[in-house]
Amino acid sequence: MSDAKLSLSKTEGSNVFGRIKDKLFGYNFLLFVTIGLFIIMYIAGLIVYKDKNFGNTQVFLNLIISNAGLIITSVGMTMVLIIGGIDISVGSVIAVTCMMLAAMMEKGHIGAIPAIIIVLLFGILFGALQGWLIAYLKIQPFIVTLAGMFFARGLTAVISLEMITITNKTFLDIAKHKIYLPFGGSLNRRGVMVYPYVYPTVVLALVVLIASFIMLKYTKFGRKIYAVGGSEQSALLMGLNVKRTKFIVYIINGFLATLGGIAFCLNTTGAFVELGKGFEMDAIASTVIGGTPLTGGVGNVFGTFFGVLIKAVIETFVSFQGNLSSWWSKIIIAILLGFFIVLQSLIAMKKEKKR
Amino acid sequence: MKKFNSIIRRITHIPLFLPLLCLFLVLIVNLIQTPSFFKITIQNGVFYGYIIDIINRSSGLIILAVGMTLVAASSAGADISVGAVSALCGAVCVASLGTGDVYQMPYIVSVLLAILIGVICGIINGFLVSYMKVQPMVATLILFTAGRGIAQLVTGSFILYVKPKQFGYLGAFLPKVPIPTPCFVAAVVVIITWLVLKKTSLGMYIQAVGINSKASRLVGLNSKMIIFLTYIFCGVCAAVAGLISVSRTMSIDANNVGLFVELDAILAVAIGGNSLSGGKFSLMGSVIGAITIQALTTTLYAMHVSADQLPLYKAIVVIIIVALQSPVVKKWYRNLRSKVSTVEPVKEVG
């Protein structure tokens, strides 16, 4: 008893350093490590690839442009991980999203906007089904989403075995619409000022990121997610509706996975069966590298954002190097993943000991 | 009515009832589809037929499922790296043998080398799970991501072919033996594992650790070591499955060896009635589960479903099977039954 009091007074003491130390060496520490790592890697890139214009604003923006879909999907994945679940179906959901969009627009002659709405509805339905099986039938999330992964991939093949290229004008207009930034321009060879640009998908990704950050941090539902993820038992005793919270999180996740799929599709403007294979592992890896442990209850979408950026920087390095096999980026990401996982478990063990 | 009820109850309470029922259903569908399903003929001195084909094809999966069962039982998780590890082990085996007309090194040495790689992968996974307390799915995610990459580096991103004929023995037939070799390998793996678990107390230890690792540590079991060992064993199983797989095609394609096989192995364990959250397990259940999955795959191929569309049907079947095993559905069913038979006292139900 006295021990507990002692440790309580230690953490709640007016000692500012103690408080800062606690903030630094808890799970927040992981977020700092992630951001720090990204900055170090970026600076390293600036030095090593100086002659290849790594410092160009456009190169930085390309990191986000090429990974807008991944950011959106990873935000959904972060929520699922916070609640203590996992979703490995997202890669296949992205494939089926692209395939449905392509098939509806090219073969069904449905307009771009209705097609997008139908696909989003499909995502909500898919998420609801998975959520129902997980929350109300209490089947393990891994198994349900494993089946979901099979299902969505199979559905993609049932829709079409051949590749479909999208030629719908509205869709391509959205995809190719460049939004120029008012700053950060550079002179090109002819001496004309060229401003960096982003595509609408980037705006979408950032909106999703900020909206979900606000939801997780400042709304009742967001806090419920953390509570359920931290301890289902306590959340239940507190009178929270655990099942419904889980259910809704999986619906949001399904929605975000299809939204990510649409962003992905705007990038590729085509669909084939093998699309997005291994994407779920990218999403999980980015989330974990971003400091969300898989034990639930802890997590931050901005960490996830930096996790995606780290992955993007590694890929850019490998492609800038030119002579490296693209497998190296996978191996490096795996090593990083291992490093972060070990770090997380060390922190968790330390916390356990403190108690 | 009473008698009927008790018979039903007795049948449904046989262990492995559900897995066997699933297998039975799949086989019945096959029999209706293709009447010659159970016919076994002898061609070129070897047995030939649908059943033989299913058992042959499922043997790799059986070996993986055995390893996966122990991992699931001890650590309440799954090893999702088995596919990548078997690709890596296959790549090491083929690369060490070389693509010449004769082997670069004795066959047995290269097999041992591949198994050693499997053990090392198991050590990495096991260390992370047991000593670093990382969730199994996450710990094995590392090798899942990197394994195929390393295999590609080993093979130099080429598809390598092995020329000597003897290399195919492991994946096809030994000379003058009518039964496919993988069946023997699978049988040996299952029997050895079963004997070790039954004759020593290891099986009980694994269950104890899976049910409550803290309690079993307090009782005096080295629970970390036991979890560690199951992962090493799973690595060895993956290596053996990888060897069979490369021997079957006489080549290594690091992108495709054991692709999605981890999912099949996990499903085999789940269909076998084993809880994926640790504790009690049944090896036989997993074996039946593996055969069921392979039978389902073969059935769907026979119904002219394309390989890419296959997962859709597999997923539906799997969800139905797993939903039936869910505790909530079992409770509904029990309530329903007790409502139906309200005439008699429902004391025994439960």
Side-chain angles (χ1 to χ4, degrees):
Chain A
M1 190 65 198
S2 65
D3 255 21
K5 259 187 187 168
L6 204 71
S7 68
L8 206 71
S9 65
K10 242 187 203 167
T11 48
E12 282 196 353
S14 54
N15 191 342
V16 181
F17 285 111
R19 234 190 261 166
I20 291 175
K21 209 175 141 197
D22 271 4
K23 280 250 163 181
L24 269 180
F25 289 94
Y27 282 107
N28 279 335
F29 178 61
L30 291 170
L31 187 60
F32 290 123
V33 170
T34 309
I35 296 174
L37 185 71
F38 171 69
I39 293 171
I40 292 170
M41 284 173 75
Y42 196 74
I43 291 173
L46 287 182
I47 295 165
V48 177
Y49 299 111
K50 208 175 173 185
D51 49 334
K52 288 185 182 171
N53 279 334
F54 191 81
N56 203 326
T57 322
Q58 192 58 54
V59 173
F60 178 78
L61 289 177
N62 281 346
L63 295 182
I64 309 178
I65 289 174
S66 54
N67 285 296
L70 184 60
I71 291 172
I72 299 173
T73 315
S74 300
V75 166
M77 183 68 81
T78 311
M79 286 186 212
V80 171
L81 290 190
I82 290 173
I83 208 161
I86 197 164
D87 185 353
I88 56 168
S89 69
V90 288
S92 305
V93 171
I94 279 175
V96 82
T97 305
C98 291
M99 188 57 94
M100 278 170 82
L101 276 178
M104 273 194 281
M105 285 189 289
E106 296 308 314
K107 293 191 177 160
H109 301 290
I110 298 173
I113 304 297
I116 287 176
I117 292 172
I118 292 172
V119 164
L120 285 177
L121 284 177
F122 167 78
I124 291 171
L125 196 73
F126 193 78
L129 185 65
Q130 288 195 348
W132 181 71
L133 287 168
I134 292 166
Y136 291 99
L137 286 196
K138 294 192 176 155
I139 308 176
Q140 284 195 339
F142 192 79
I143 299 298
V144 172
T145 52
L146 188 67
M149 175 182 178
F150 273 155
F151 183 85
R153 186 69 66 186
L155 193 60
T156 315
V158 169
I159 294 173
S160 166
L161 283 172
E162 278 120 42
M163 180 168 171
I164 305 179
T165 314
I166 296 174
T167 52
N168 184 300
K169 198 169 169 302
T170 330
F171 194 77
L172 291 184
D173 280 349
I174 300 173
K176 294 278 176 285
H177 181 76
K178 288 179 180 172
I179 303 168
Y180 287 93
L181 297 185
F183 52 85
S186 54
L187 295 174
N188 70 358
R189 257 179 256 154
R190 281 187 225 139
V192 183
M193 197 66 170
V194 181
Y195 286 106
Y197 60 87
V198 292
Y199 289 117
T201 51
V202 174
V203 180
L204 185 68
L206 293 180
V207 167
V208 166
L209 191 70
I210 292 166
S212 53
F213 177 76
I214 292 171
M215 192 201 80
L216 280 173
K217 192 111 191 175
Y218 299 109
T219 66
K220 214 163 144 192
F221 182 70
R223 302 321 291 174
K224 260 191 204 169
I225 296 177
Y226 280 100
V228 171
S231 166
E232 222 168 279
Q233 206 78 37
S234 334
L236 200 66
L237 292 176
M238 271 157 66
L240 300 181
N241 194 337
V242 172
K243 284 180 186 170
R244 204 173 59 201
T245 313
K246 272 191 177 177
F247 183 55
I248 294 173
V249 164
Y250 277 98
I251 292 178
I252 295 175
N253 177 53
F255 174 76
L256 287 179
T258 36
L259 199 63
I262 292 167
F264 200 82
C265 196
L266 285 166
N267 260 355
T268 57
T269 62
F272 51 97
V273 175
E274 305 281 296
L275 193 79
K277 231 172 205 176
F279 199 84
E280 57 280 344
M281 293 308 159
D282 281 347
I284 294 173
S286 311
T287 314
V288 171
I289 290 175
T292 306
L294 276 105
T295 39
V298 187
N300 190 324
V301 281
F302 277 111
T304 305
F305 177 64
F306 280 101
V308 174
L309 286 186
I310 287 178
K311 179 200 155 268
V313 169
I314 293 170
E315 277 171 358
T316 314
F317 279 179
V318 170
S319 72
F320 268 35
Q321 194 63 35
N323 51 2
L324 280 179
S325 138
S326 66
W327 286 102
W328 274 107
S329 63
K330 288 226 167 215
I331 294 174
I332 295 169
I333 289 170
I335 292 170
L336 262 188
L337 186 65
F339 171 72
F340 272 86
I341 287 171
V342 169
L343 205 64
Q344 284 176 2
S345 79
L346 284 179
I347 289 174
M349 274 190 214
K350 211 177 157 195
K351 284 215 156 170
E352 195 110 312
K353 255 184 202 163
K354 238 185 182 175
R355 234 176 262 164
Chain B
M1 188 66 192
K2 211 173 173 184
K3 215 174 186 182
F4 179 71
N5 261 354
S6 78
I7 288 173
I8 288 278
R9 195 166 304 153
R10 206 174 295 160
I11 290 175
T12 50
H13 278 209
I14 297 172
L16 301 183
F17 166 71
L18 263 177
L20 280 172
L21 181 71
C22 298
L23 182 60
F24 186 68
L25 283 179
V26 173
L27 291 182
I28 287 291
V29 169
N30 267 311
L31 193 62
I32 297 165
Q33 279 284 321
T34 33
S36 64
F37 188 72
F38 287 102
K39 216 168 105 188
I40 296 174
T41 52
I42 297 184
Q43 288 186 359
N44 303 332
V46 296
F47 284 122
Y48 187 82
Y50 273 108
I51 289 289
I52 297 290
D53 186 57
I54 287 173
I55 295 173
N56 182 7
R57 295 268 159 203
S58 64
S59 37
L61 193 55
I62 289 174
I63 295 169
L64 286 176
V66 167
M68 192 69 85
T69 311
L70 297 190
V71 162
S74 75
S75 66
D79 181 349
I80 57 170
S81 71
V82 285
V85 170
S86 48
L88 177 58
C89 295
V92 167
C93 174
V94 172
S96 64
L97 287 177
T99 50
D101 286 328
V102 282
Y103 294 146
Q104 274 173 8
M105 58 165 75
Y107 179 68
I108 192 77
V109 175
S110 115
V111 165
L112 287 179
L113 197 66
I115 289 177
L116 180 71
I117 297 290
V119 170
I120 292 172
C121 292
I123 288 175
I124 296 172
N125 288 334
F127 175 75
L128 285 172
V129 173
S130 64
Y131 292 99
M132 301 306 296
K133 290 187 186 161
V134 180
Q135 282 201 340
M137 245 80 92
V138 192
T140 49
L141 180 66
I142 298 172
L143 271 179
F144 177 92
T145 321
R148 272 178 213 285
I150 301 169
Q152 289 283 4
L153 295 182
V154 169
T155 59
S157 303
F158 294 116
I159 298 177
L160 302 180
Y161 294 91
V162 183
K163 282 185 190 144
K165 234 183 189 175
Q166 300 93 305
F167 188 72
Y169 286 168
L170 184 63
F173 296 91
L174 284 169
K176 290 185 185 165
V177 178
I179 300 169
T181 330
C183 299
F184 290 116
V185 182
V188 166
V189 169
V190 171
I191 289 170
I192 288 179
T193 318
W194 184 76
L195 278 180
V196 169
L197 292 179
K198 282 288 157 195
K199 293 292 162 191
T200 69
S201 27
L202 206 58
M204 203 177 68
Y205 289 173
I206 289 174
Q207 294 192 356
V209 170
I211 291 168
N212 190 338
S213 84
K214 225 173 230 173
S216 47
R217 191 169 53 89
L218 293 178
V219 168
L221 295 181
N222 190 345
S223 51
K224 284 181 183 172
M225 185 50 108
I226 287 169
I227 294 177
F228 190 56
L229 285 178
T230 56
Y231 276 87
I232 294 179
F233 180 70
C234 191
V236 173
C237 287
V240 174
L243 286 173
I244 291 178
S245 177
V246 289
S247 167
R248 206 166 256 159
T249 54
M250 302 278 286
S251 66
I252 172 75
D253 175 5
N255 271 339
N256 286 320
V257 168
L259 194 65
F260 285 146
V261 85
E262 55 276 347
L263 309 181
D264 277 354
I266 296 168
L267 294 177
V269 174
I271 291 178
N274 296 309
S275 157
L276 285 160
S277 43
K280 288 207 161 194
F281 66 91
S282 145
L283 270 190
M284 261 345 268
S286 296
V287 171
I288 294 169
I291 296 174
T292 311
I293 295 234
Q294 190 57 48
L296 185 66
T297 312
T298 311
T299 313
L300 289 172
Y301 277 135
M303 287 157 78
H304 302 291
V305 174
S306 110
D308 288 323
Q309 299 169 342
L310 198 73
L312 178 72
Y313 304 98
K314 242 186 203 174
I316 294 171
V317 173
V318 163
I319 273 296
I320 292 171
I321 291 171
V322 180
L324 283 179
Q325 293 182 358
S326 118
V328 180
V329 175
K330 273 186 183 162
K331 212 169 151 193
W332 285 348
Y333 174 66
R334 228 178 285 145
N335 287 345
L336 199 74
R337 211 170 56 181
S338 61
K339 256 180 215 161
V340 169
S341 55
T342 36
V343 193
E344 47 177 314
V346 275
K347 268 182 209 159
E348 336 155 66
V349 180

